[in-house]
């Protein structure tokens, strides 16, 4: 790949800056102030610091753009055609337990369409990035989704409802329909990185329900630009609204959504 576009240059630089802040806090995680938003739903001072960095830098770089952020919520901009969708720390529970599997996720929506995404794991220094029509990349390496066609050879990623959330019974039915027919199921705790890993061919597919748009927006761009497919898990049209997502190559996605449908009967 040649030089990054001006847009991706801004996005990757901002993600890296927020990542450096997260890494400093990660090294001293036992001393972080942590509050609880809900059952098993935590927010730390690290989330807030990283989000402040992202908000300030992106506002400087693109004045007037709006935001949808995990901590701030909706911030209306004067430019109504552009909106950043940001998760400053996806995988907070991993982060708080000293597990190096968490990410900064930044996407750009233009006229209601996702056009660019960056997912950065500061602990491993892996920068995944994609822009519509320019492919998906891990640093300077072009990404392609895995080409496996047989479900019994596939490793599928998922997320499960945590304590206090609804949907456990449905998840178990879906797991029963999918797990015995795959080579393996993985639950790593970061939907953003799950989608980045689908784009990189590390996972063959991914499904999860009731996610927030900031969990999946950047990953959707990555998977599509890596030649993969993304669908609303129940066949609907608005993934960002429902948060129900399935992803993979064409064959894997067809098998995955068919088994999800079977589980709902």
């Amino acid at each position: 790949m040649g030089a990054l576009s001006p847009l991706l240059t801004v996005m990757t630089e901002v993600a890296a800056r927020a990542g450096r802040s997260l890494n400093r806090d990660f090294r001293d995680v036992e001393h972080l102030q942590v509050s609880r938003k809900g059952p098993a739903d935590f927010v730390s001072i690290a989330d807030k610091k990283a989000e402040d960095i992202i908000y300030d830098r992106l506002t400087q770089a693109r004045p007037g753009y709006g935001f949808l952020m995990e901590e701030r919520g909706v911030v209306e901009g004067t430019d109504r055609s552009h909106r950043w969708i940001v998760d400053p720390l996806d995988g907070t529970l991993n982060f708080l337990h000293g597990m190096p599997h968490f990410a900064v996720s930044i996407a750009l929506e233009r006229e209601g369409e996702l056009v660019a995404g960056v997912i950065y794991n500061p602990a491993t220094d892996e920068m995944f990035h994609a822009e519509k029509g320019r492919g998906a990349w891990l640093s300077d390496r072009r990404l392609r989704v895995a080409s496996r066609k047989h479900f019994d050879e596939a490793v599928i990623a998922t997320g499960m409802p945590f304590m206090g959330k609804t949907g456990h019974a449905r998840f178990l039915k879906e797991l029963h329909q999918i797990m015995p027919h795959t080579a393996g199921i993985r639950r790593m705790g970061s939907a953003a990185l799950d989608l980045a890993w689908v784009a990189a061919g590390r996972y063959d597919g991914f499904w999860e329900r009731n996610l927030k748009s900031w969990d999946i927006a950047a990953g959707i761009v990555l998977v599509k630009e890596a030649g993969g497919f993304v669908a609303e898990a129940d066949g609907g049209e608005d993934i960002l609204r429902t948060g129900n997502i399935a992803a993979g190559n064409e064959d894997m996605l067809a098998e995955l959504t068919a088994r999800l449908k079977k589980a709902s009967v």
Side-chain angles (χ1 to χ4, degrees):
M1 184 183 182
L4 291 174
S5 70
L7 173 61
L8 280 181
T9 297
V10 166
M11 293 174 70
T12 55
E13 287 179 352
V14 170
R17 185 181 290 261
R20 288 193 292 272
S21 175
L22 290 173
N23 261 344
R24 287 192 292 270
D25 287 329
F26 188 61
R27 290 193 293 268
D28 199 28
V29 69
E30 67 271 18
H31 301 301
L32 275 183
Q33 297 177 27
V34 180
S35 60
R36 193 161 175 164
K37 293 189 288 186
D41 193 3
F42 299 92
V43 60
S44 69
I45 193 68
D47 300 64
K48 294 176 179 178
K49 283 164 57 179
E51 187 169 281
D52 287 344
I53 289 168
I54 294 167
Y55 179 80
D56 291 345
R57 299 298 293 181
L58 288 180
T59 299
Q60 264 186 0
R62 296 292 189 273
Y65 283 21
F67 287 84
L68 176 59
M69 310 184 84
E70 182 174 16
E71 306 307 332
R72 271 183 173 80
V74 175
V75 180
E76 297 288 354
T78 55
D79 181 345
R80 298 305 177 91
S81 63
H82 290 88
R83 180 171 72 159
W84 300 109
I85 303 177
V86 176
D87 191 342
L89 175 52
D90 187 60
T92 302
L93 200 57
N94 287 347
F95 181 90
L96 294 176
H97 283 258
M99 301 177 191
H101 193 78
F102 54 89
V104 178
S105 179
I106 304 172
L108 179 65
E109 188 179 59
R110 179 182 294 137
E111 301 288 356
E113 180 185 11
L114 295 171
V115 296
V118 168
I119 295 172
Y120 178 54
N121 182 344
T124 60
D125 194 30
E126 288 192 315
M127 181 76 74
F128 301 88
H129 55 88
E131 188 174 358
K132 186 180 179 183
R134 296 175 62 91
W137 303 79
L138 172 52
S139 297
D140 59 355
R141 179 168 66 84
R142 183 73 180 262
L143 299 180
R144 297 294 297 177
V145 294
S147 59
R148 293 181 187 86
K149 296 181 179 295
H150 302 293
F151 208 62
D152 60 1
E153 299 174 353
V155 173
I156 305 295
T158 190
M160 64 188 74
F162 51 72
M163 179 178 63
K165 296 288 186 179
T166 60
H168 287 272
R170 183 172 192 171
F171 172 77
L172 292 174
K173 287 178 68 177
E174 292 177 346
L175 192 64
H176 180 73
Q177 280 294 333
I178 293 167
M179 185 171 64
H181 305 283
T182 69
I185 297 288
R186 299 290 182 267
R187 198 282 191 190
M188 297 288 283
S190 167
L193 283 174
D194 287 341
L195 287 164
W197 283 24
V198 171
R202 298 175 183 176
Y203 291 142
D204 298 284
F206 167 72
W207 96 96
E208 191 170 350
R209 294 185 178 279
N210 301 314
L211 292 166
K212 301 297 185 183
S213 54
W214 49 77
D215 298 321
I216 57 178
I220 289 172
V221 183
L222 276 158
V223 171
K224 288 182 175 180
E225 287 298 312
F229 296 84
V230 179
E232 206 281 336
D234 297 320
E237 295 184 358
D238 193 344
I239 300 171
L240 293 185
R241 183 182 62 81
T242 68
N244 302 330
I245 187 171
N249 68 29
E250 190 172 11
D251 295 300
M252 290 296 163
L253 183 60
E255 180 79 9
L256 187 54
T257 52
R259 292 193 174 277
L260 291 174
K261 185 176 181 179
K262 189 175 180 181
S264 67
V265 174

